[in-house]
Amino acid sequence: MGAYKQLLTSDIIVTPFEVHKDFTFIGGGSLVDPSVGIDRLLGQNITGSLFNPNSDPTTGNLGIQYQRLVYNSVKELYYSNYLSSSYGDQVNLPILIPGRDTEGDRFIGPISNPQYYNYLQTTLSYSKLFPTSSGAYVGVISIPARLFGDYINPGSFSFSEGSINFLTDDGEGNIIFNGETVGNIFYPHGVITITSAGLSNIFDFINSSDITCSFQSSYTIYETQYKCTIRENEYNFTLNPSTISGSTEGTLYGFVTESYFSPYITTVGLYDEQQNLLAIGKLAQPLPSSPTTDTTILINIDR
């Protein structure tokens, strides 16, 4: 048997905290396994011809992707504002001169070609290079969200081909190879791009079967704490049917009516407004209710 008590808003505290997990995948087979889902793609700037699905070169280990579309997608999402300047083009937006009302407002300056956001990851100014020459290649490593969670933890990514060449991130969104920036990592998307000729052979990193990929995932868990307070004048009588004598119907055993009797609490249940049981908290050992002081039981649930 049980007794109910309504919780107040002040009795519930929700606290977010981040958890991390390290991942390391070794060998080409484990990376192309669909159960892992890490894909490596090659993008090419194909100019002078229309897209033709029957003749355009393809790429991808988990599925067929077109190199032309991979290149264009990477350029549009991450580098469209860095094509003419490695530090980003200047803002190109009109300036509002307010009038007496909205009809009197005036705009001066250009109203087209606005600056693209391109998923900036830091307040620092840093360069992003993207090849635009005909036939230029870019490499892409795509990590699924179910592995990295909310984002890849900055400074945790590494990718190697063989035992010599390896890529790392500097924690600010740059991919480093032999001390030189050769691409970028977009932590919330799990996308790594290789865009510089400083990495002499992009094909090795994309097509090699002798590779190792490591990173640390980040995921936010919400801990909900319920404060269940039992006042000194509450729950001092038990509803347990075992306290009723079987010889006489409805008669309590004598020890239950003594002044020193105190029921024990073993379980706390959380219910919704319709009294549907949602969660059960078991105490490590039975807790006697106190007739002289308030008792508080804290229940923590992670989700």
Side-chain angles (χ1 to χ4, degrees), residues 148-168:
F148 67 79
D150 295 330
Y151 59 88
I152 295 176
N153 200 25
S156 68
F157 175 82
S158 66
F159 188 92
S160 63
E161 184 272 321
S163 58
I164 301 176
N165 299 327
F166 63 95
L167 306 174
T168 58

Side-chain angles (χ1 to χ4, degrees), residues 91-125:
V91 177
N92 192 18
L93 294 175
I95 299 174
L96 170 66
I97 300 180
R100 288 189 306 173
D101 48 33
T102 56
E103 287 76 12
D105 294 346
R106 292 187 299 116
F107 288 91
I108 62 172
I111 58 174
S112 61
N113 299 323
Q115 183 186 40
Y116 292 93
Y117 177 60
N118 290 149
Y119 301 100
L120 301 178
Q121 303 178 100
T122 175
T123 56
L124 301 176
S125 296

Side-chain angles (χ1 to χ4, degrees), residues 48-301:
S49 63
L50 297 177
F51 172 70
N52 187 336
N54 297 319
S55 60
D56 262 39
T58 60
T59 183
N61 294 308
L62 299 180
I64 297 178
Q65 305 290 338
Y66 292 95
Q67 294 184 15
R68 181 201 301 258
L69 301 183
V70 171
Y71 176 91
N72 291 337
S73 296
V74 170
K75 180 179 71 172
E76 181 68 23
L77 287 173
Y78 303 116
Y79 296 96
S80 54
N81 193 50
Y82 292 82
L83 301 180
S84 60
S85 172
S86 62
Y87 282 90
D89 297 330
Q90 296 297 317
V91 177
N92 192 18
L93 294 175
I95 299 174
L96 170 66
I97 300 180
R100 288 189 306 173
D101 48 33
T102 56
E103 287 76 12
D105 294 346
R106 292 187 299 116
F107 288 91
I108 62 172
I111 58 174
S112 61
N113 299 323
Q115 183 186 40
Y116 292 93
Y117 177 60
N118 290 149
Y119 301 100
L120 301 178
Q121 303 178 100
T122 175
T123 56
L124 301 176
S125 296
Y126 70 102
S127 62
K128 293 167 66 175
L129 301 175
F130 190 78
T132 57
S133 60
S134 178
Y137 286 97
V138 297
V140 178
I141 303 170
S142 176
I143 301 174
R146 60 183 175 80
L147 289 181
F148 67 79
D150 295 330
Y151 59 88
I152 295 176
N153 200 25
S156 68
F157 175 82
S158 66
F159 188 92
S160 63
E161 184 272 321
S163 58
I164 301 176
N165 299 327
F166 63 95
L167 306 174
T168 58
D169 81 281
D170 63 355
E172 293 291 345
N174 298 307
I175 293 296
I176 308 300
F177 173 72
N178 288 341
E180 179 182 350
T181 299
V182 297
N184 299 100
I185 176 172
F186 303 93
Y187 303 109
H189 297 171
V191 172
I192 297 89
T193 59
I194 304 169
T195 60
S196 173
L199 185 58
S200 58
N201 194 345
I202 295 178
F203 293 91
D204 288 346
F205 283 89
I206 298 303
N207 299 318
S208 174
S209 61
D210 185 14
I211 55 178
T212 301
C213 180
S214 300
F215 58 92
Q216 187 179 80
S217 66
S218 297
Y219 188 72
T220 301
I221 290 179
Y222 295 90
E223 180 184 74
T224 304
Q225 183 179 86
Y226 298 88
K227 185 178 68 173
C228 304
T229 300
I230 304 172
R231 304 300 180 188
E232 60 181 34
N233 60 337
E234 297 176 329
Y235 305 138
N236 289 326
F237 189 81
T238 181
L239 298 177
N240 194 321
S242 64
T243 59
I244 300 176
S245 173
S247 59
T248 57
E249 183 178 354
T251 303
L252 297 172
Y253 284 110
F255 70 88
V256 179
T257 60
E258 298 292 338
S259 60
Y260 59 81
F261 174 78
S262 178
Y264 282 72
I265 302 168
T266 60
T267 305
V268 178
L270 299 179
Y271 297 80
D272 61 14
E273 294 179 351
Q274 287 73 42
Q275 295 187 357
N276 296 313
L277 182 61
L278 303 179
I280 298 176
K282 291 285 188 178
L283 277 66
Q285 59 185 22
L287 176 68
S289 62
S290 173
T292 57
T293 59
D294 294 346
T295 302
T296 298
I297 301 175
L298 300 179
I299 301 177
N300 294 327
I301 300 177

Side-chain angles (χ1 to χ4, degrees), residues 13-27:
I13 300 175
V14 179
T15 305
F17 64 93
E18 289 187 354
V19 294
H20 306 283
K21 181 178 181 180
D22 294 318
F23 288 93
T24 298
F25 300 99
I26 301 175

